[in-house]
């Protein structure tokens, strides 16, 4: 390990320890709830990023996978099945749904996958709200404890981000990035675009489904169609873009930035925050396609080249 | 250059190839063969169907007719498996992965291979042919010059270890001196045992290098012969070699 890796892995370790000890440091549920929200979004944005950022396939229906995960988990769990099984079933259900749309859509090139996923999420949103119009699938409040929920989200965030890290640093991850950069070129080297897209989609949907299940376990009372709403697609997507798609840290930074800014704006300007977020998203896509991570790298390079020039100037002429 | 032994068996055989883009027939009943150890070139103007032919062989576009590699029909073989069968490719426009490093670009070409010891030997071989690539291993592919990108594309094809190498316009966009360098390397690669099918607009360089060539005009093979015969052919001279 080089110096940079040691620094970043010890920072990571400190962050995880702090998060793990957080419930000991604060007794305020509002703080825990805020951190849960952050962890949920980090997980969702990171899972979107595996397909959208690393493999270059625009998924406009991540809510479908988040929603189906929460629907399956909620129904099974409320129906009396042990939570762990219900939770896993949510993730697997999301993968099944993803393959159902991915296999036909990825055989075609271009925008079919984006359109297909967008339609899928909308159709499910309407269908679920028609089939389950009432709010009667709620857990028993007497048993409700916040701490297991908090640790579930924490473990899931670590698991998702860790899996994304190992996947994109593997041979398969390299293949995914090659597919993003150029499908024909990838195939000309013997890298199957279809297989790599389906792999990225399955991993992405699996974690989206799991975090949907965690949401179903955490949230006390809601309409079952609620996790299918388009905001569950576009918020995490925006976070990935704000932070920087195709990087591990991007969606994490993006989620923190997004949640922080949203809290601030909701307090100060209310519903107008939607307009501000929309504008911000357009500006970032247009002028900073690599997000905050790119902005950081650029400014650092600029600084380095400045100091580099100064050094050159003081080299004595011999 | 004189052709290697004519009795050598056929590496690639293309029979009655037809390629359609919608209602437009871009390639019309093309047939040709590539023998073991040969360099064969397809020359012709823009839109003659050269690249389409190559893309059909790579399995990227659908076609009618028969393409077989060492006696095996390629019609139902998906593109990624064609590489595993031993057909290395330098795609049109080089196909460099711009945001990946030179090292990653090379590594991707070994995706289908399992022979680790051989792979590290092949890296050394690529570095010895293109020392420039070794200097730039950690640089992003997109930051390389055109010539370096072409070296990387050829280096990648070497890393995928085919016995037949398909090249689509390796001279495109390169200064004449770089074209000469690349073609010199292609001859070396051929001499070390790789059969080459080269698609080129730069007919002069291609015919000087190739054992045999085919002239494509609006989707048909109009003239064929050895490289030298074609260079001496008055029609080829007038149309492709500048009189």
């Amino acid at each position: 390990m080089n110096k940079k890796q040691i620094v970043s892995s010890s920072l990571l370790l400190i962050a995880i320890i702090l998060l793990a000890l957080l419930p000991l440091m604060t007794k305020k549920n509002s703080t825990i709830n805020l951190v849960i929200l952050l962890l949920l979004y980090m997980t969702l944005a990171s899972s979107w990023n595996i397909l959208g950022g690393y493999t270059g396939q625009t998924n406009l229906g991540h809510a479908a996978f988040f929603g189906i995960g929460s629907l399956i988990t909620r129904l099974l769990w409320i129906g009396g099945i042990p939570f762990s099984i219900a939770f896993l079933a949510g993730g697997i259900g999301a993968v099944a749904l993803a393959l159902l749309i991915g296999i036909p859509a990825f055989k075609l090139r271009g925008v079919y996958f984006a359109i297909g996923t967008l339609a899928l999420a909308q159709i499910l949103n309407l269908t679920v709200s028609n089939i389950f119009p009432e709010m009667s699938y709620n857990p028993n409040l007497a048993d409700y404890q916040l701490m297991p929920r908090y640790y579930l989200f924490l473990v899931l965030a670590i698991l998702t981000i860790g899996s994304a890290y190992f996947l994109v640093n593997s041979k398969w991850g390299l293949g995914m990035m090659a597919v993003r950069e150029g499908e024909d070129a990838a195939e000309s080297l013997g890298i199957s675009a279809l297989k790599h897209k389906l792999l990225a989609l399955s991993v992405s949907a699996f974690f989206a489904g799991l975090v949907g299940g965690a949401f179903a376990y955490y949230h006390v009372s809601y309409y079952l169609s609620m996790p299918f709403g388009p905001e569950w697609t576009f918020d995490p997507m925006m976070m990935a873009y704000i932070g920087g798609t195709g990087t591990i840290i991007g969606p994490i930074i993006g989620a923190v930035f997004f949640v922080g800014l949203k809290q601030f704006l909701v307090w100060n300007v209310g519903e107008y925050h939607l307009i501000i977020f929309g504008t911000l998203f357009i500006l970032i896509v247009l002028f900073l396609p690599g997000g905050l991570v790119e902005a950081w790298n650029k400014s650092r390079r600029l600084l380095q080249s400045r100091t580099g020039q100064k050094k050159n100037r003081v080299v004595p002429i011999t | 250059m004189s052709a290697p032994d004519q009795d050598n068996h056929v590496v690639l055989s293309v029979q009655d190839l037809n390629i359609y883009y919608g209602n437009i027939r871009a390639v019309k009943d093309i047939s040709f063969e590539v023998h073991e150890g040969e360099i064969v070139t397809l020359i012709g103007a823009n839109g003659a169907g050269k690249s389409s032919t190559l893309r059909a062989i790579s399995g990227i576009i659908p076609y009618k007719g028969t393409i077989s590699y060492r006696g095996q029909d390629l019609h139902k073989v998906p593109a990624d498996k064609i590489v595993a069968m031993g057909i290395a490719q330098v795609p049109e426009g080089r196909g460099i992965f711009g945001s990946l490093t030179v090292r990653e670009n090379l590594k991707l070409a070994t995706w289908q291979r399992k022979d680790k010891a051989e792979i590290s030997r092949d890296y050394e071989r690529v570095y010895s042919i293109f020392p420039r690539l070794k200097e730039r291993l950690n640089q992003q592919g997109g930051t390389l010059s055109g010539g370096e990108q072409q070296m990387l594309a050829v280096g990648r094809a070497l890393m995928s270890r085919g016995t037949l190498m398909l090249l689509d316009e390796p001279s495109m966009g390169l200064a004449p001196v770089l074209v000469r360098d690349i073609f010199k390397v292609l001859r070396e690669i051929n001499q070390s045992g790789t059969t080459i099918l080269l698609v080129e607009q730069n007919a002069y360089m291609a015919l000087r290098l190739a054992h045999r060539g085919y002239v494509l005009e609006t989707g048909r093979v109009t003239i064929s012969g050895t490289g030298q015969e074609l260079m001496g052919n008055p029609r080829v001279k007038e149309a492709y070699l500048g009189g």
Side-chain angles (χ1 to χ4, degrees), chain A residues 51 59 61-62 64-65 68 90-108 113 116-117 120 124 193-206:
Chain A
L51 182 68
N59 168 4
H62 212 42
F65 309 132
I68 202 79
I92 293 166
V95 175
L97 182 68
L99 293 176
L100 205 67
I101 181 94
I103 291 172
F106 281 149
K107 287 201 171 154
L108 306 166
F113 180 71
T117 46
L120 180 74
L124 281 175
L194 181 65
K195 277 184 208 158
H196 281 80
K197 288 182 200 172
L198 288 178
L199 172 74
L201 172 64
S202 305
V203 177
S204 174
F206 181 64

Side-chain angles (χ1 to χ4, degrees), chain A residues 44-86:
Chain A
L44 204 50
S46 293
S47 68
W48 184 88
N49 188 40
I50 294 170
L51 182 68
Y54 280 101
T55 323
Q57 307 303 310
T58 314
N59 168 4
L60 295 181
H62 212 42
F65 309 132
F66 178 77
I68 202 79
S70 70
L71 180 72
I72 292 173
T73 306
R74 186 81 165 195
L75 289 181
L76 292 180
W77 173 52
I78 299 296
I81 293 190
F83 173 74
S84 55
I85 294 171

Side-chain angles (χ1 to χ4, degrees), chain A residues 109 169-172 174-193 195-196, chain B residues 55 60 79-81 83 87 89 91 95 97-100 104-105 107-114 156-157 160:
Chain A
R109 290 212 177 165
N169 282 295
S170 74
K171 180 181 157 179
W172 283 91
L174 194 57
M176 280 158 42
M177 289 184 261
V179 170
R180 174 188 69 196
E181 304 281 311
E183 274 184 47
D184 282 350
E187 299 241 315
S188 79
L189 295 178
I191 294 159
S192 160
K195 277 184 208 158
H196 281 80
Chain B
R55 287 162 68 84
I60 294 174
D80 59 301
K81 291 283 175 295
V83 180
I87 304 183
Q89 300 163 34
F97 305 117
S99 72
L100 305 185
E104 288 169 332
N105 267 277
K107 192 177 166 199
L108 277 162
T110 66
W111 217 90
Q112 298 256 2
R113 295 177 56 182
K114 307 260 182 299
R156 247 179 13 186
S160 69

